Amino acid sequence: MTSSTAHDRLTAHAGELRAIRHDLHQYPELAFEEKRTSEIVARELDRLGFQVTQGLGGTGVVGTLSSGHGRKSIGLRADMDALPINETTGLAYASKTAGKMHACGHDGHTTVLLGAARYLAETRNFDGTVHLIFQPAEENIGGAQRMIEDGLFKRFPCDAVFAFHNWPGMPLGQFAVRPGTIMAAVDTPIVIISGPGGHGALPHKSADPIVAAAAVVTALQTIVARNVDPTEPAVVTVGTFNAGTACNVIPESAKLEISVRSCSPPVRKLLAERIQAIVKGVAEAHGCRAAIDYEMGYPATINTADETAFARAVAAELQGDHPIIDLPAPTMISEDFAYMLEARPGCYFMLGNGDGPERKMLHTPDYDFNDDLLVIAAGQFSRMAEGFLAKA
Ligand SMILES: [Zn+2]
Ligand SMILES: [Zn+2]
């Protein structure tokens, strides 16, 4: 099967894929609530002849299809969850649930994988096993980690795993990737600085948590500037600073919420150590106490070299002259697929969602997945499965 016949075959199903995507779009479900979505996925996989496992990591689904006697296996992953956003697109197939919306295009990712499922089931032009992984809760709550804890790679061993994200602002279908870190780790320390507080007219009788917290915010800026290797990406953003109730009252506490991002485990560790030392030390220097709840979020998404070269080669075969973007640096947003890449070799890449003015950014109320990307992305997944599990 060549890339052009794969494309032709998938194009013949473009209308059906669009219909599936529009249906999923109308009924968005938040993290770990993807019951309807996972039922639709399971039913379609079953219809196509996949062995279907439901309920992995909550609402996760895995579809398995083997062909020939090959022992190799590949995992292809899509995410299914929506976001708590009120959709404003005005589209005929807009969300029917107020306050919930597929604003990250996971309706598209799910449909793409179902498109690949149909192609692979009908053609069976591979020798080995394909595991299609539909995960819950990519946004913030770590559905990938839950599936792994639930035995994902023990029950469904994968020699490599692959996933993509649609990317608004890049031309339709544009393939972008880099070996090594492609997305950042994100951690969220929450800091509470406490002091005795007191009357605003008598500062000498109190220790002021607001002044201490303000000094902490400033001192934290020295970590990236002075402690991190200047060639390593890192972010320390204090996103919230809450304290006080009246201008003449020195409050008893101040609360900071911080977003900490890094691209390698050593830098991640350094940031955690320095933040804790600075928060404690500066608070103490101001006569206050500090408590830190340092929540570790998603790790960095790190692509392995061979699998990245492989995914890139498939894109080059499919896209001909369409230039491939070799990303010079990671993006500092984070991605739950990172957990799967900690467990298995693999590659996470981006595909352009279109660059017209109508192509809004992810997580905005007027965003929509580009239907024209469905066939392109399903082709990429399908050809990766055929190439990874090539017949002798
Ligand atoms: Zn998102
Ligand atoms: Zn997303």
Side-chain angles (χ1 to χ4, degrees):
M1 195 83 37
T2 66
S3 54
S4 59
T5 50
H7 184 80
D8 291 348
R9 213 173 225 288
L10 284 159
T11 302
H13 300 144
E16 284 164 50
L17 292 180
R18 196 176 300 129
I20 292 172
R21 214 273 294 174
H22 293 185
D23 175 70
L24 295 177
H25 192 87
Q26 287 178 71
Y27 301 97
E29 296 172 302
L30 301 183
F32 293 123
E33 296 172 358
E34 307 93 336
K35 290 208 167 55
R36 179 182 185 275
T37 309
S38 64
E39 275 301 324
I40 289 170
V41 166
R43 214 177 315 133
E44 177 67 2
L45 292 173
D46 184 58
R47 187 183 74 80
L48 293 168
F50 280 74
Q51 221 173 37
V52 181
T53 303
Q54 287 182 264
L56 202 72
T59 42
V61 182
V62 179
T64 299
L65 187 71
S66 294
S67 182
H69 302 289
R71 298 174 68 89
K72 276 183 89 175
S73 58
I74 186 173
L76 304 173
R77 170 277 209 177
D79 36 19
M80 301 188 288
D81 55 321
L83 283 159
I85 291 179
N86 237 338
E87 180 162 354
T88 60
T89 60
L91 291 163
Y93 55 87
S95 169
K96 289 189 186 299
T97 312
K100 296 183 189 178
M101 175 191 177
H102 270 298
C104 206
H106 299 181
D107 52 339
H109 300 169
T110 298
T111 308
V112 162
L113 202 48
L114 288 177
R118 176 165 180 178
Y119 171 86
L120 293 167
E122 287 178 355
T123 55
R124 299 192 184 232
N125 182 40
F126 60 92
D127 186 23
T129 299
V130 177
H131 298 297
L132 304 184
I133 303 165
F134 296 81
Q135 78 150 80
E138 190 285 320
E139 305 280 1
N140 296 330
I141 317 186
Q145 192 181 27
R146 285 276 296 276
M147 287 188 87
I148 294 166
E149 285 166 1
D150 222 356
L152 174 65
F153 293 127
K154 289 201 182 78
R155 294 171 66 182
F156 309 99
C158 298
D159 292 316
V161 288
F162 298 88
F164 86 104
H165 211 292
N166 75 93
W167 211 255
M170 278 200 319
L172 175 68
Q174 174 86 62
F175 181 93
V177 78
R178 75 191 304 271
T181 301
I182 188 164
M183 291 204 179
V186 61
D187 302 317
T188 49
I190 295 174
V191 172
I192 295 182
I193 294 172
S194 323
H199 198 295
L202 304 167
H204 57 298
K205 301 274 189 198
S206 78
D208 188 341
I210 291 185
V211 173
V216 165
V217 172
T218 307
L220 288 175
Q221 306 313 311
T222 64
I223 299 174
V224 174
R226 302 288 87 183
N227 302 134
V228 177
D229 180 334
T231 63
E232 293 268 10
V235 176
V236 178
T237 292
V238 180
T240 75
F241 185 139
N242 285 297
T245 53
C247 68
N248 57 356
V249 176
I250 295 171
E252 291 185 352
S253 68
K255 183 179 177 189
L256 307 174
E257 290 178 308
I258 309 172
S259 180
V260 182
R261 290 161 192 267
S262 56
C263 291
S264 73
V267 173
R268 190 183 197 191
K269 186 164 168 277
L270 173 73
L271 292 171
E273 286 167 0
R274 291 300 301 142
I275 285 169
Q276 305 200 49
I278 285 179
V279 167
K280 291 225 157 88
V282 172
E284 241 169 61
H286 287 76
C288 295
R289 292 182 313 282
I292 307 180
D293 180 7
Y294 206 104
E295 196 187 317
M296 305 296 275
Y298 296 169
T301 305
I302 304 176
N303 288 333
T304 47
D306 289 352
E307 286 68 25
T308 304
F310 166 71
R312 194 186 182 287
V314 170
E317 169 211 281
L318 284 167
Q319 306 228 9
D321 296 338
H322 207 29
I324 284 167
I325 296 179
D326 292 302
L327 297 166
T331 87
M332 297 310 283
I333 62 173
S334 65
E335 163 61 50
D336 185 18
F337 188 61
Y339 290 110
M340 295 199 189
L341 288 177
E342 278 191 336
R344 308 301 309 144
C347 176
Y348 184 79
F349 52 90
M350 282 94 136
L351 290 171
N353 198 46
D355 54 359
E358 76 286 6
R359 292 293 156 202
K360 306 300 185 202
M361 197 49 201
L362 305 169
H363 292 208
T364 59
D366 48 0
Y367 163 85
D368 192 35
F369 185 91
N370 189 337
D371 283 326
D372 292 335
L373 184 55
L374 293 170
V375 164
I376 296 170
Q380 173 76 25
F381 270 160
S382 301
R383 292 292 293 164
M384 284 197 304
E386 289 181 341
F388 198 81
L389 308 175
K391 289 179 169 172

